[in-house]
Amino acid sequence: MRYYVKYTRGIIAIGKTRVNLDSGKLKDSIISQIDQNRHQLSEIARNIHDNPELGFQEVKASTWLTRFLEENGFSVKRGIYRLPTAFRASYGKGSPVVAFIAEYDALPGVGHACGHNISGTISAGAAVAARLVADQYPGCITVIGTPAEELYGGKAIMAKRGAFTDLDAALMVHCGTGNTATTHALACQNLYVEFFGQSAHAAARPERGINALEAIIQSYNAINSLRQHIRSSARIHGIITDGGQAANIVPDHSAGEFIVRAAENDYLEVVKHKVLDCFKGAATATGARLKYKWDTARYAPMRNNMVLARLFADNMKSLGRPIAITGSNSFGSTDMGNVSQIVPSIHATVAVAPRGTLLHSPEFAAAVTSEEAVDGLCDAAKTLAMTAVDLIVSPEKMTEVQKEFRGGE
Ligand SMILES: [Zn+2]
Ligand SMILES: [Zn+2]
């Protein structure tokens, strides 16, 4: 029996009995809508793949995604927070505001080897299907288009400018070789260093030279010594980008780029301080002058909301796709971490490539055009949209999500 009465968020009260309206039917409709959109979603992902654009240059990718959303009734604001390729697309009214986060930037040299052509399209496809729930219940479906994940931490910049504060939940699915509902990601910040010395003839007047290459090599070795005395979850790695011009000239300039990561925000600061001391010590030892700059983008660790993760996993399982709550003990970083500090979030993973295929490799870039990748795209979009149904139809689920976020569990 159906109760055609005025209701709020899917719950109607009949005497003392609360009856959930049929979210199962909504989910069925979402599944068939995404199946109908499969070809179009696959084409968008393929076009983005075949036209790889680096961070903050994703003009085509953001145009294709926003056009798809606009054609399906979303109101779209482009160029938000002073970033020309960022966008926000919204559908529905009131709260909760459930956001799907879209990435669409490529990598230098290897194109879409991180699969953002798929993950961005997953969020757009999920949002269009999730209109069905926003048509019937109070709540808003939003896609936040976040550029430059790979090179500049676009979400970190947007977070500083207030982009995520009005959301109730933020969800996205990244590409991978397995299905997981959470991601382990470290806090992370890049360090750019230069040493300035004095050039001199390396054989005739070595005593007049100040060797900037020695300074950076000593720093590198000091970091190697430091590494055995920091927590095992922390990471320090780097490259030397300038080591001199000619073997018979004492190098008067050297440069390098290093990345420091840690599982906790506080500990990242501790390790950053220790790493900087390695460079300062080498400057003292060699007499070279140190110049350094921490990147303005600082990636925060990923804070997975386990209520969201369990809902996501249950929905994906219902499609017949096996999924684990936690994945491999991977130690990357993502600017979704910054979002997860502000709003309850998940950064799930869907399998689009065979096990063993490495992210950021040409093999991964090739894999994300396969039919298996399109299957992953559609299943992930269905799962996100079904999770939005759970959150919008059942206010108590959203309360649980918020409670965990505020530390109530
Ligand atoms: Zn990547
Ligand atoms: Zn990525």
Side-chain angles (χ1 to χ4, degrees):
M1 184 179 175
R2 289 266 182 280
Y3 302 92
Y4 292 102
V5 296
K6 189 90 178 152
Y7 55 81
T8 305
R9 292 206 196 150
I11 306 291
I12 54 175
I14 303 160
K16 288 189 176 168
T17 318
R18 283 157 65 84
V19 179
N20 239 327
L21 290 184
D22 204 341
S23 61
K25 274 241 159 57
L26 273 172
K27 291 183 181 181
D28 289 345
S29 307
I30 277 168
I31 290 168
S32 56
Q33 165 122 143
I34 289 171
D35 286 335
Q36 282 167 30
N37 287 346
R38 180 184 171 100
H39 179 68
Q40 195 178 4
L41 295 173
S42 158
E43 271 197 348
I44 294 170
R46 184 65 197 227
N47 284 339
I48 297 174
H49 177 274
D50 292 349
N51 294 273
E53 298 163 304
L54 297 180
F56 295 133
Q57 299 167 33
E58 312 96 326
V59 177
K60 291 177 183 164
S62 61
T63 302
W64 288 324
L65 291 170
T66 50
R67 191 183 295 157
F68 173 66
L69 289 159
E70 221 161 33
E71 282 168 2
N72 285 285
F74 279 73
S75 66
V76 176
K77 282 187 193 153
R78 296 177 177 81
I80 56 171
Y81 299 99
R82 307 196 298 282
L83 301 176
T85 54
F87 66 86
R88 179 171 177 139
S90 302
Y91 187 95
K93 278 202 181 77
S95 66
V97 180
V98 177
F100 302 135
I101 306 296
E103 298 175 345
Y104 31 83
D105 59 319
L107 287 154
V110 281
H112 275 289
C114 209
H116 295 183
N117 63 313
I118 297 281
S119 54
T121 310
I122 287 171
S123 288
V128 166
R131 287 176 313 171
L132 294 167
V133 63
D135 282 338
Q136 295 190 34
Y137 293 79
C140 213
I141 302 293
T142 299
V143 181
I144 311 280
T146 59
E149 192 278 329
E150 296 286 358
L151 299 181
Y152 306 110
K155 292 183 208 58
I157 297 167
M158 291 175 74
K160 266 193 200 163
R161 296 179 185 174
F164 308 104
T165 48
D166 65 330
L167 309 178
D168 291 297
L171 304 93
M172 68 164 282
V173 185
H174 197 274
C175 291
T177 58
N179 307 303
T180 59
T182 60
T183 296
H184 182 62
L186 302 175
C188 160
Q189 197 162 9
N190 285 30
L191 172 65
Y192 307 97
V193 294
E194 284 181 282
F195 282 106
F196 298 90
Q198 171 64 54
S199 60
H201 192 294
R205 284 276 180 253
E207 73 279 7
R208 302 285 296 274
I210 297 174
N211 196 322
L213 175 61
E214 286 290 354
I216 204 154
I217 289 172
Q218 284 200 20
S219 309
Y220 199 94
N221 288 333
I223 288 168
N224 285 342
S225 302
L226 169 65
R227 203 175 276 117
Q228 62 182 319
H229 298 293
I230 55 173
R231 291 180 192 164
S232 58
S233 56
R235 295 285 186 273
I236 312 164
H237 43 97
I239 54 169
I240 294 173
T241 53
D242 181 15
Q245 301 300 317
N248 61 355
I249 306 172
V250 174
D252 68 343
H253 181 260
S254 65
E257 183 178 337
F258 291 77
I259 302 177
V260 184
R261 305 183 200 241
E264 306 84 13
N265 270 325
D266 294 355
Y267 195 60
L268 181 69
E269 293 307 312
V270 172
V271 181
K272 277 170 59 184
H273 190 79
K274 288 174 186 283
V275 166
L276 205 50
D277 279 349
C278 294
F279 289 98
K280 287 178 179 170
T284 304
T286 59
R289 181 170 62 83
L290 169 67
K291 188 178 166 195
Y292 69 90
K293 184 178 174 300
W294 289 103
D295 202 300
T296 48
R298 186 188 188 285
Y299 289 50
M302 183 69 206
R303 198 179 152 197
N304 296 288
N305 187 285
M306 298 313 292
V307 179
L308 287 178
R310 284 190 289 271
L311 288 174
F312 183 91
D314 288 346
N315 283 315
M316 188 167 262
K317 274 183 211 156
S318 77
L319 299 171
R321 182 179 278 264
I323 176 170
I325 294 284
T326 51
S328 65
N329 221 7
S330 151
F331 284 91
S333 300
T334 168
D335 59 8
M336 189 64 191
N338 299 60
V339 180
S340 75
Q341 304 292 324
I342 298 168
V343 51
S345 301
I346 52 165
H347 182 276
T349 303
V350 66
V352 299
R355 287 238 173 245
T357 315
L358 296 172
L359 269 181
H360 290 201
S361 73
E363 293 75 24
F364 203 92
V368 294
T369 59
S370 66
E371 274 308 297
E372 185 192 353
V374 179
D375 289 343
L377 190 171
C378 291
D379 280 355
K382 289 171 187 172
T383 308
L384 281 183
M386 290 193 289
T387 307
V389 170
D390 292 330
L391 296 172
I392 289 176
V393 169
S394 310
E396 53 283 343
K397 287 286 171 212
M398 190 52 92
T399 306
E400 265 184 68
V401 165
Q402 300 288 348
K403 195 174 155 195
E404 182 192 316
F405 186 73
R406 292 193 304 267
E409 276 192 359

